[in-house]
Amino acid sequence: MYEINKIIKKIRDDNKLTQTEFAAFLSVSHQTVSSWERARTRPTLVMLKKISQSFNIPLSK
């Protein structure tokens, strides 16, 4: 099973974005991104779709 938190952090790091920049791009707070990366919460399917489309990453990956 994939660990969404690690994938989100990798996407952010690969694109050289801070949590604040990544959050602004997705219209969420930096605390939300931090929560995702620490596996406290998970993004919604709508948000996962937005991330996948924005960064050209298939959801099935």
Side-chain angles (χ1 to χ4, degrees):
M1 180 185 259
Y2 294 102
E3 295 182 54
I4 296 297
N5 61 316
K6 291 179 182 177
I7 294 169
I8 289 172
K9 180 159 178 26
K10 181 170 177 12
I11 292 168
R12 185 176 63 77
D13 288 344
D14 288 352
N15 287 278
K16 296 177 175 53
L17 297 170
T18 65
Q19 284 184 345
T20 301
E21 292 166 336
F22 191 70
F25 183 79
L26 298 172
S27 301
V28 298
S29 70
H30 69 90
Q31 292 95 335
T32 297
V33 173
S34 175
S35 185
W36 294 341
E37 290 184 1
R38 292 175 183 222
R40 289 183 177 170
T41 62
R42 293 182 183 173
T44 63
L45 286 175
V46 171
M47 186 57 65
L48 287 173
K49 185 175 180 181
K50 183 175 182 177
I51 293 168
S52 76
Q53 290 175 340
S54 298
F55 294 95
N56 297 315
I57 298 167
L59 282 176
S60 61
K61 191 171 185 181

